[in-house]
Each structure stands twice: as structure tokens, then as C-alpha cells.
Amino acid sequence: MADPTSYRPRPGEIPTDPGVYRFRDEHGRIIYVGKAKNLRSRLNSYFANPATLLPKTYAMVHHAAGVQWTVVGSELEALVLEYTWIKEFAPRYNLAFRDDKTYPYLAVTMSEAIPRVQVMRGERRKGTKYFGPYTAGAIRETMDTLLRVFPVRTCSPGVLKRAQRSGRPCLLGYIDKCSAPCVGRISEEDHRALAQEFCDFMGGEAKRFIGKLEKSMAEAVAELDYERAARLRDDIAALRKVFERNAVVLSEDTNADIFAVEQDDLEAAVQVFHVRGGRIRGQRGWVVEKVEDSSGPELVEHLLQQVYGAEEAQHENIPRQVLVPELPTNHEQLAVWLGGLRGAKVDIRIPQRGEKAKLMETVQANARQAMALHKSRRAGDITSRSLALAELQEALELPMPLLRIECYDISHVQGTNVVASMVVVEDGLAKKSEYRKFAITGDAAIDDTASMHDVITRRFRHYLAEREARAAGETASGASGEVDAEAGEGHRGKFAYPPNLVVVDGGPPQVAAAARALTELGIDDVAVVGLAKRLEEVWVPGSDFPVILPRASEGLYLLQRIRDEAHRFAITFHRAKRAKAMTASVLDTVPGLGPAKRGEVLRHFGSLKKARAATVGELADVKGVGPVLAGAIHRVLHEAAGSTAPAVNMTTGEVLEDEPR
């Protein structure tokens, strides 16, 4: 008997969307299928105190060895998918649908002279239109709601004949739930048109009918008939609910495989929904190693070749349509190839609108969830982290375990607002409290190598200073054994701990600059590598050739994750600094004009151009600006106007106003 805690998902892994979940045993067999409005809330209930679980649930969670889930667009889609999979896999712990019954459908017998709306199960009949499936309670509510707007016949053939003979309608005719064609209140032609409208509404043309009811409701309000308006309001809400319930069902002739891909630089999460007869009959998902430098269309091409070209693939199960997020460049040839395997035409295309496009969005959401789940598990798994650190240590031939790694990245726009970031990973996990950011100015901002040299120098100069201060403190207190009351045992400076490995974003030039900075400081026990983005090559100082890590290695994944985090952190700081610099203007050079008063000047006049056109007296009218300061502002503005250069952003060089010079 398995322990549920051994396969319980980590906190935050389960989405809060509606969906369908599946418990599997140790052999991979599905033993339970369920649906939920909120997957996280429902699944967490299975891992509660065992004493609170029902006997069947207790047995199921201890029999299972894993749990998976599929995100869908609504509760109604979850209902349909749950039913489909229960019928498909017959899980041993699903008791509600183990019999031979099917979900009821709402059917309209258009083949009869006087069409009838009824609830039907079992085999389909020719000449009858079906809508659904629904639960037993929902279908009765749906019929009751729709008969208010579309009073189509619902009585049996016996009741219809009896009413025709007697000339009196049944009870539904008296309460306006039937238009009573049996007694001539409506002709058979008009009744058939009414039944067709019923079918049109159920087929997706809800807006026209709901709009008609909304217009009637507005007329009722205008006539102060609030009771009728309230009934129409309730009918509109009910019809909208009915339309939502029916909208998740694809047409019965839909046979398609719908693919979606979520990818990063190294891997891709693939999801495919198998739709047969308008219902989702199955779902598959996996994470694959990407082909090197492959684009989206190329990835889709390889995916289709592997899925349908495998020897174990049943070619008779290839559908008529293959819906993909991006068309391969050779999609016409692929379609011919798949058609040859299937023995009939196959269409490969991107769904643009309608139900198939909506279902594609659902499949894409599952792919995103699968990739996020894969990344979180891979990053959080202690085994994977240990393997990644061990792989890096072995590949770089380092003598010490990589307990602490620091990664540096430079960010700027054409040499302006140059900043750098430092992110820290300890034991394979990000330590955000140790992140640092650097502003780079002067000669250090000339290029990336100079910036990298400056940042590494500043970071490790701080480390050496703190190490010397700590050593001095220990020497001073060593005789008495006292601890510095200000520092305390747990004190550590901003740069107190050195890393075992420094990772820089870049190739040989950046690596050489970082290594030179460490050598100049006399630090020889910190390794340096660079990760080049284009081919994910790992460069070491003084080497003519990079270290190539396997594309699927945990070590490369860890380096990539650290590099991306350093880039994100640097970009965030750069944008903040750039936004702040955009507010710089010639007013910054006015002596005695601080940020608050500078803001008052701009708010008072609305622009720098209008402030320049103002007189000293008008400038003195600004709140907080006296005659002396107004004169200084006037002098600086007109000196700037008399120069040959336009008023510009003092940091970026961007022109701040558009006027002739």
C-alpha cells in the first residue's frame, strides 16, 4: 500500500483552474477520474488527515502511485471530459458511471411532421438533432428554460393523438409551455420553424435570441411592467447559461488531433488532445529535448514525424485534421505523408476561430502548466540539484564542491544607463537576499568588458575589506573570547562570503575581464566561466575551445537558469534607472531648485517650453519660488536656449522638447 505523501504534488504546483484529474497505480493504470472547479482545492482534500477520508477514498489514495491533471476552460468542459474518460478507461474506483448508461442528450426529432423536444439516451436516430451531453438535473432545467422562449412540442405520440381527437391541448398548452400545434393554435409549418429556431439556438446562435429578449425587457421597463421585465431578465440569464453549457460540444463529425507547444531554449512541453466524434477521447503530454537551434515550425515538424511515424503508432487512428500552433515549412508534404499512412486525406492547419480555436487555447494552457510543473520540479528536486552541481564540478574540473555560485550580467541601451546585476545560488537554490545591483559610470561604462572588470573588482574588493575587518575584530577580542556586541555571532556583511564559481553572461572577452579583475586582487581560489547565449557554450579563462555540456544535462540547465535570472534582475534595474533619467532636464542645473520645486515649475507651466517663455515675475508666482530663485531659473533657461545644442535628457541624450533651434 502506497503512502500518499510520496506522490503528493508540491505546494503551488496544482493550478486553481477547473479541470479533470487522474489517479494512477504503480503500473500506470488509471484507477480514478474526477473533475473539479478548482483543481488545487479538490486535490488537496485527498491528502488531508486520513481519518477524515471516506473508506473508498482512503483505499484509492493508498492504492494510487501518482496523480495527473488536465486544465480545461470551464466546469462544463470538465464534465464532458470526465465522462469521456470514465467510459474510456473504466477506472475501478469510479462507481457513478460504471453502468452501461450514457449521459442524456437534448434531442429534437426534426424527421417527424410535428417535431418534438425530448431527453434521449442510447443509440443515435436518423433525422434527430442532438445537443449535449448533460447531467440529468441540468437537462431538465435546460428544457424548462427553453420552452419559455421556444414552446415546442414535448408530448409523446399518444398524448398528441389524443389531443388531436379531442380538440383540447394538454396541460403544457394551457400553461404556455407548448404552442399547441395539435389543436391548430400554430400551423405545422410555423411549429417546424419554431423547432428550427430551437436548434439554431442550441447550435450556437444565441446572441440573436438573447438580443430579442433584452429588447423586450427594455420595452417592459419602459412600460413600467417590472414583473414581466424580471421574468425576462431571468430568462436571459438562463439562456446564457444554457448556451455556455452547449458551447463546449464540438460537432459530431470532428475528428482531430490538437497540438500545443510551450518551449524555452532547451526543452519543449507538448500537449495533444485526441478529439473523436466531437469528444475529447484522450490526452497526452510530454517534455522533450529540443533540436538544436530549432524554430517553432521545425519543432512541430519533428513532433508530427515522431508521433505518427513511430512503428507502434496505429495509422488507422490518424485523424482527418491535425491542428497545430505553427505550420511547418513543408506542411503540404507532411499532409501527403500522413495521408499515405492513413489511407485518406489529412489536413494540417492552424485553427483561426470558433470552437477549435478555443480548444487550442485549452491545450496551450495545459502545455504551459506542464512546462511550469516540469521546471518547478526540476529546480526544486534535491536530487536534480545535487546532480547539476556534481556535473558542473566534474565538467569544469574544480577541486571544491560548488556550494555558492554568483552570476553577473551587464545591461544598457547603446552605452547609456549601464548597470550590472549579481545573483546568488547556494546549494542549487536562488538566494534572493544576497542579490546585488551595480550602477556603472565613467570609463567603466565604455564597453561590456570594462563594465564586467569594474563590477567584479568592486564586489571582491568589498569582500576583501570585510574579511580584513572581521580578522581584525577576531584578533582584538581573541584574548578574552568576547563576541563583538555590534556584529554578533550571526553578523555577515553584504559581500562576506566568496563564491566557489563566478558565472558571467558572455564569451571569452567577458571571462577574461572577470579573471583579470580577480588576479589583480590576488584572489586565486574562485573559478570563472562564461555562458554564451547563442550555442550555450561554457568558456573558461585561457582556453581556445569551450566546454560543451550535453543539451539535456542538469548542469547546463542550472547555468541557464542562473544566467536568465541575472539577466532579468539586470533588466529590471536598468529600466528603473532609465525611467528615472528620463525626467532629467536643464532645470536640474538651476542652483537651489530641488526636485519638489522643479516639479512645481513643470506642473505650473505644463512644459519646459512654456517655462522658458515666462517672465521672472511669472516664474515667481510658482509655489515656493521666490524672486531670487525665479531669476536664476530665468537665466539658466535662456542660457540653454542661446546655446547651439537642444535641451536633451542629461543621461540618455534624448531631445526633451521639439522646437526650432
Side-chain angles (χ1 to χ4, degrees):
M1 183 172 287
D3 182 3
T5 59
S6 65
Y7 63 87
R8 178 176 185 173
R10 297 177 183 274
E13 284 186 350
I14 310 174
T16 57
D17 305 303
V20 180
Y21 53 93
R22 309 174 297 285
F23 283 88
R24 295 178 179 270
D25 63 12
E26 58 182 347
H27 304 293
R29 293 174 298 193
I30 296 177
I31 62 173
Y32 183 78
V33 175
K35 60 177 171 59
K37 179 180 180 181
N38 184 318
L39 281 169
R40 181 180 298 175
S41 177
R42 176 63 59 82
L43 285 176
N44 283 338
S45 68
Y46 288 98
F47 301 98
N49 184 358
T52 63
L53 299 177
L54 295 174
K56 185 197 77 170
T57 306
Y58 180 92
M60 186 270 294
V61 297
H62 284 80
H63 183 188
V67 62
Q68 298 172 314
W69 55 84
T70 297
V71 178
V72 296
S74 69
E75 294 178 68
L76 300 169
E77 290 185 29
L79 168 68
V80 175
L81 187 55
E82 179 202 31
Y83 166 73
T84 300
W85 282 352
I86 288 174
K87 300 298 289 185
E88 184 81 14
F89 304 111
R92 61 172 299 182
Y93 288 97
N94 282 98
L95 302 180
F97 307 109
R98 290 294 296 276
D99 59 3
D100 292 331
K101 292 182 179 179
T102 62
Y103 274 137
Y105 284 78
L106 195 58
V108 184
T109 58
M110 297 299 292
S111 59
E112 297 185 14
I114 301 178
R116 174 191 177 190
V117 175
Q118 60 180 319
V119 177
M120 297 184 70
R121 299 177 185 264
E123 296 294 329
R124 302 293 182 92
R125 301 178 184 176
K126 187 177 181 180
T128 300
K129 294 186 177 182
Y130 293 86
F131 305 96
Y134 301 98
T135 59
I139 199 167
R140 300 298 175 185
E141 179 185 352
T142 299
M143 281 188 60
D144 184 66
T145 300
L146 293 180
L147 290 177
R148 299 185 181 199
V149 185
F150 309 104
V152 183
R153 166 205 163 205
T154 59
C155 60
S156 65
V159 173
L160 176 66
K161 291 180 181 179
R162 188 163 53 249
Q164 289 173 333
R165 287 196 300 266
S166 64
R168 292 180 298 177
C170 63
L171 177 61
L172 293 176
Y174 282 110
I175 63 175
D176 296 328
K177 287 291 185 70
C178 178
S179 55
C182 54
V183 296
R185 289 186 185 174
I186 185 175
S187 66
E188 292 187 2
E189 292 75 14
D190 290 341
H191 183 269
R192 176 171 291 276
L194 188 64
Q196 185 59 51
E197 287 187 342
F198 181 100
C199 294
D200 292 342
F201 175 87
M202 295 300 295
E205 298 183 16
K207 291 185 178 180
R208 175 163 60 93
F209 301 104
I210 292 176
K212 181 179 178 181
L213 288 181
E214 288 176 338
K215 183 178 180 180
S216 299
M217 183 178 68
E219 293 174 353
V221 171
E223 297 171 0
L224 305 182
D225 190 355
Y226 296 118
E227 183 176 353
R228 176 167 167 262
R231 287 197 305 269
L232 291 171
R233 177 201 61 199
D234 295 340
D235 290 348
I236 292 170
L239 288 182
R240 284 176 175 162
K241 186 175 181 180
V242 169
F243 178 63
E244 178 189 0
R245 182 179 292 119
N246 186 58
V248 302
V249 181
L250 299 177
S251 61
E252 297 176 13
D253 60 347
T254 301
N255 292 314
D257 284 349
I258 305 178
F259 290 85
V261 180
E262 183 73 14
Q263 59 181 312
D264 60 15
D265 292 337
L266 291 178
E267 298 170 311
V270 179
Q271 289 282 318
V272 55
F273 279 20
H274 303 286
V275 179
R276 301 294 184 269
R279 299 290 182 271
I280 301 174
R281 300 299 183 186
Q283 176 230 0
R284 295 173 62 192
W286 56 95
V287 177
V288 297
E289 179 186 353
K290 285 178 57 178
V291 178
E292 199 167 48
D293 297 329
S294 60
S295 62
E298 291 173 338
L299 183 62
V300 172
E301 176 186 343
H302 291 301
L303 174 63
L304 297 183
Q305 289 174 341
Q306 293 182 21
V307 170
Y308 297 120
E311 293 183 1
E312 64 273 13
Q314 299 181 15
H315 296 155
E316 63 271 16
N317 290 333
I318 298 177
R320 287 179 293 181
Q321 291 184 344
V322 176
L323 307 181
V324 294
E326 296 182 77
L327 278 178
T329 54
N330 62 340
H331 66 277
E332 295 179 354
Q333 291 81 3
L334 278 174
V336 173
W337 173 65
L338 290 177
L341 295 178
R342 179 174 180 261
K345 183 180 178 181
V346 174
D347 182 24
I348 302 176
R349 63 185 181 89
I350 303 173
Q352 300 292 338
R353 60 182 66 86
E355 297 299 332
K356 293 174 184 175
K358 291 181 181 178
L359 189 54
M360 172 66 82
E361 294 175 0
T362 299
V363 184
Q364 187 65 50
N366 279 273
R368 285 194 297 269
Q369 167 65 17
M371 176 60 85
L373 181 61
H374 171 73
K375 282 191 170 184
S376 65
R377 284 180 171 172
R378 191 172 184 181
D381 181 26
I382 187 171
T383 303
S384 298
R385 297 201 311 269
S386 300
L387 178 60
L389 295 173
E391 285 183 357
L392 283 179
Q393 182 183 352
E394 180 180 358
L396 301 176
E397 299 179 354
L398 301 177
M400 297 293 292
L402 299 178
L403 301 180
R404 179 183 172 103
I405 303 175
E406 294 179 359
C407 185
Y408 297 83
D409 184 37
I410 308 297
S411 181
H412 59 84
V413 174
Q414 297 181 348
T416 62
N417 296 314
V418 184
V419 299
S421 66
M422 179 188 95
V423 301
V424 180
V425 168
E426 291 187 355
D427 295 327
L429 290 175
K431 196 168 183 65
K432 295 192 175 183
S433 61
E434 300 290 321
Y435 286 14
R436 298 290 180 263
K437 51 192 178 184
F438 304 82
I440 303 173
T441 58
D443 293 340
I446 294 176
D447 55 36
D448 283 0
T449 56
S451 299
M452 188 63 69
H453 181 276
D454 179 69
V455 170
I456 298 297
T457 300
R458 289 161 60 186
R459 183 265 181 267
F460 285 94
R461 189 181 290 151
H462 283 298
Y463 157 64
L464 293 176
E466 291 184 7
R467 186 178 67 176
E468 292 175 1
R470 187 169 59 252
E474 290 174 356
T475 302
S477 61
S480 63
E482 295 178 355
V483 177
D484 190 313
E486 184 177 2
E489 292 183 353
H491 173 72
R492 54 182 291 188
K494 292 182 178 180
F495 299 96
Y497 293 164
N500 304 108
L501 177 65
V502 166
V503 180
V504 299
D505 182 17
Q510 289 81 6
V511 174
R516 187 173 70 255
L518 291 174
T519 301
E520 292 171 355
L521 294 173
I523 298 175
D524 57 3
D525 57 349
V526 175
V528 180
V529 299
L531 183 62
K533 287 181 180 177
R534 191 175 70 88
L535 297 176
E536 305 294 354
E537 301 166 333
V538 180
W539 290 91
V540 296
S543 176
D544 295 332
F545 301 97
V547 176
I548 305 297
L549 295 175
R551 297 280 295 179
S553 76
E554 295 291 342
L556 180 58
Y557 175 77
L558 177 61
L559 286 180
Q560 183 199 32
R561 183 161 56 90
I562 298 171
R563 188 267 316 278
D564 292 345
E565 176 67 357
H567 184 66
R568 179 200 65 80
F569 194 49
I571 285 290
T572 302
F573 181 37
H574 169 76
R575 288 173 178 168
K577 186 178 181 182
R578 185 177 61 187
K580 185 177 180 180
M582 291 296 291
T583 62
S585 71
V586 69
L587 292 177
D588 295 345
T589 64
V590 178
L593 186 66
K597 292 181 181 179
R598 184 166 61 245
E600 287 291 339
V601 171
L602 292 176
R603 278 191 294 271
H604 183 86
F605 292 102
S607 70
L608 194 63
K609 181 178 179 180
K610 292 181 179 179
R612 182 180 290 116
T615 64
V616 174
E618 291 172 337
L619 288 169
D621 291 338
V622 178
K623 181 180 178 181
V625 177
V628 176
L629 185 55
I633 295 173
H634 188 271
R635 181 176 63 258
V636 170
L637 290 177
H638 284 78
E639 286 177 354
S643 65
T644 57
V648 297
N649 183 312
M650 303 301 287
T651 302
T652 65
E654 181 180 354
V655 177
L656 293 175
E657 58 177 317
D658 185 14
E659 64 176 338
R661 290 291 176 186

